[in-house]
Amino acid sequence: MIDIKLIREKPDYVKAAIKKRQMDLDGVVDEILAVDKERREATGKVESKKAEQNAVSKEIPKIKKAGGDASEVLAKMKALSGEVKEANAKLSEINDKQRTLMLSLPNLPDEDVQPGGKEQNIPDHYFKEKPVFNFEPKNHVDLCESLGMIDYQRGAKIAGSGAWIYRGWGARMEWAILNFFINEHLSDGYELILPPHMLNYECGYVAGQFPKFTDEVYWIQNPTSSEKKFMLPTAETALVNLHRDEILSEKDLPRKYIAYTPCYRREAGSYRSEERGMIRGHQFNKVEMVQYATPEGSDAAFQEMVGKAERLVQELGLHYRVSRLAAGDCSFSMARTYDIEVWIPSMGIYKEVSSASNARDYQARRGNVKYRDANRKLHFVHTLNASGLATSRIMPAIVEQNQNADGSVTVPEVLRPYMGIDVIQPEK
């Protein structure tokens, strides 16, 4: 959520920043300012009525002590009580209206973020050269099937389109990749969290996914109560809620967490032929990084997380690039995002395996997550997240970039201790 003081003091700046996302919300900003003025006036009225009520209430014991008749004052008190109740109801209505309007505003992109949509994304740098083959390379779907790594048909049979089954060396490689990622993060001082997969509404609200994107998750209704939960679309949604409504100590920041979870996405399941296989699915595995940082340490935390995600892809030996996303391609809650994108030879394009993002204090304001500095002053934390990494595109990149002429796939060196094999051979 954006600071109302910023909107109040720099409305033109806020409008211009939102336009960088290719969104025109000038009318909403103007309405927020009008409602904010109305809210402050209503607050003043409530406080004035309460002060008058308090002053009158002090007269009652004096009148009774003097043996006088307090009926007139009591009648005035009753009238004031009704007026206060009515004024509070009006103020509550105004607050709800302002809150709804405020929630419709996305985070403001950082000043150095390029305006425009994804066509304005900027490739920042590359790692290694694109693999070159002296034979006709296969795509990851055919490779994984011939190597007995993935069963797409039975996956679709038991769960529908956008689902697959890891089997044999595919299951072992998936587990190896996850173990490799987790061990690397643990050695860097991150705390491992295994969160619930079913979350309450507040989690989506704090993360910035609700109320705008409530239709993009899988909802679960408890048949024996009114309780309703959703399946997490990413572990970030859980991790940024760990300290909701808490006050942290500055000396304990940054706090660094990782979580392994499956991710459940309703919006997945593209029918484009180039996105078949594991490139886009309704459920996939991911290790997620989240940090809580001070505003002063926020930029350093972001660079650290980008570097960590990059290092994982580097150690797997894959060709990739890092892209700086334009404002319109950053998600609703994020002020800046860098994507780490691996090369998928059969598709001839790069696919994102990690988005490293800085939400600044946008999520912390929604979740009321603060820290106390050395001078005992309270500030909102900054929250950051990055995939470390998503596996459903890592495996296609591994098998396609590491394929051999005989149809085998060379296992990356860092995964061999987990798998106990150097090369995966085609099934006979």
Side-chain angles (χ1 to χ4, degrees):
M1 187 179 296
I2 302 173
D3 187 355
I4 184 60
K5 291 181 180 178
L6 179 63
I7 299 174
R8 216 181 278 147
E9 295 169 3
K10 297 182 178 180
D12 291 338
Y13 169 79
V14 172
K15 291 176 182 178
I18 293 174
K19 280 188 172 71
K20 290 175 67 176
R21 288 181 171 271
Q22 297 184 311
M23 300 171 69
D24 187 351
L25 298 177
D26 288 6
V28 176
V29 174
D30 290 339
E31 190 175 0
I32 286 172
L33 291 171
V35 172
D36 184 56
K37 182 180 178 182
E38 184 183 3
R39 181 190 62 80
R40 284 183 286 164
E41 290 173 353
T43 301
K45 185 176 180 180
V46 168
E47 295 305 317
S48 176
K49 288 293 181 184
K50 284 182 177 179
E52 186 179 356
Q53 189 179 35
N54 289 335
V56 172
S57 68
K58 290 177 182 179
E59 294 178 17
I60 296 173
K62 293 178 182 178
I63 295 171
K64 288 183 176 181
K65 188 176 182 181
D69 183 6
S71 58
E72 186 178 334
V73 179
L74 287 170
K76 187 176 181 180
M77 271 290 293
K78 185 176 180 180
L80 281 171
S81 178
E83 291 174 11
V84 169
K85 185 177 181 180
E86 184 180 339
N88 269 324
K90 178 65 175 176
L91 179 59
S92 178
E93 183 183 319
I94 295 170
N95 280 331
D96 288 344
K97 184 177 181 180
Q98 185 181 48
R99 183 181 183 82
T100 300
L101 290 167
M102 292 285 288
L103 292 177
S104 69
L105 297 182
N107 200 350
L108 303 183
D110 287 345
E111 292 189 7
D112 64 337
V113 172
Q114 185 81 0
K118 62 173 58 181
E119 69 282 353
Q120 299 300 321
N121 292 351
I122 302 172
D124 190 81
H125 59 271
Y126 294 78
F127 177 76
K128 295 183 67 175
E129 299 294 326
K130 292 178 183 177
V132 177
F133 306 99
N134 57 6
F135 56 91
E136 186 66 30
K138 297 180 179 179
N139 62 61
H140 66 278
V141 176
D142 293 340
L143 279 165
C144 286
E145 287 182 332
S146 66
L147 294 168
M149 298 174 69
I150 304 292
D151 191 331
Y152 295 104
Q153 290 184 345
R154 290 187 176 91
K157 180 171 69 175
I158 66 176
S161 63
W164 57 85
I165 294 173
Y166 295 100
R167 58 178 289 257
W169 288 115
R172 294 182 64 174
M173 177 174 281
E174 178 78 359
W175 206 242
I177 293 169
L178 292 168
N179 275 275
F180 166 62
F181 290 165
I182 290 171
N183 287 338
E184 289 293 299
H185 295 312
L186 291 177
S187 67
D188 288 336
Y190 281 68
E191 180 182 346
L192 177 62
I193 302 289
L194 294 177
H197 295 181
M198 296 184 294
L199 305 177
N200 55 34
Y201 180 90
E202 288 79 1
C203 289
Y205 165 77
V206 171
Q209 291 152 350
F210 302 160
K212 188 174 178 63
F213 304 106
T214 53
D215 293 336
E216 294 185 5
V217 298
Y218 286 106
W219 288 94
I220 297 175
Q221 179 70 56
N222 188 332
T224 60
S225 73
S226 60
E227 187 180 34
K228 191 177 179 182
K229 296 184 179 181
F230 68 97
M231 303 297 292
L232 55 73
T234 167
E236 172 212 340
T237 311
L239 295 178
V240 297
N241 278 273
L242 287 182
H243 299 292
R244 187 172 71 210
D245 295 319
E246 293 181 19
I247 297 175
L248 306 176
S249 173
E250 184 177 18
K251 65 182 177 61
D252 293 330
L253 298 177
R255 292 205 176 195
K256 304 178 181 182
Y257 299 107
I258 59 164
Y260 156 67
T261 65
C263 301
Y264 307 92
R265 302 281 178 90
R266 268 193 68 188
E267 77 277 15
S270 167
Y271 289 99
R272 291 183 293 178
S273 60
E274 72 271 15
E275 293 194 326
R276 65 195 183 115
M278 290 185 289
I279 296 301
R280 186 177 292 271
H282 295 285
Q283 176 186 325
F284 58 92
N285 293 319
K286 181 155 67 82
V287 177
E288 183 77 2
M289 298 180 279
V290 161
Q291 285 198 34
Y292 293 76
T294 63
E296 296 77 17
S298 183
D299 288 333
F302 178 75
Q303 292 301 327
E304 175 197 319
M305 295 174 82
V306 172
K308 279 179 58 60
E310 279 197 74
R311 192 176 77 236
L312 295 175
V313 189
Q314 290 173 6
E315 293 187 24
L316 288 169
L318 300 174
H319 167 62
Y320 71 89
R321 74 180 182 189
V322 175
S323 293
R324 290 182 280 136
L325 300 196
D329 203 24
C330 292
S331 66
F332 193 79
S333 303
M334 300 304 156
R336 73 185 302 112
T337 297
Y338 284 9
D339 274 2
I340 291 86
E341 304 166 328
V342 293
W343 176 249
I344 309 293
S346 66
M347 298 169 64
I349 56 176
Y350 294 90
K351 279 292 184 180
E352 171 255 317
V353 293
S354 176
S355 280
S357 301
N358 192 335
R360 302 297 179 184
D361 64 4
Y362 187 87
Q363 292 175 324
R365 287 182 179 277
R366 286 172 169 246
N368 192 32
V369 187
K370 299 178 180 179
Y371 73 94
R372 197 182 303 277
D373 67 17
N375 297 318
R376 308 296 294 170
K377 291 185 178 180
L378 292 176
H379 311 270
F380 286 105
V381 301
H382 279 196
T383 55
L384 306 95
N385 71 85
S387 308
L389 304 161
T391 62
S392 59
R393 293 175 180 175
I394 284 292
M395 190 179 292
I398 289 174
V399 298
E400 287 200 19
Q401 291 194 31
N402 289 6
Q403 64 180 296
N404 303 308
D406 62 356
S408 65
V409 167
T410 301
V411 177
E413 286 190 24
V414 292
L415 300 184
R416 294 175 190 176
Y418 300 96
M419 296 183 65
I421 191 173
D422 294 353
V423 179
I424 301 174
Q425 299 288 348
E427 287 190 326
K428 295 181 181 179

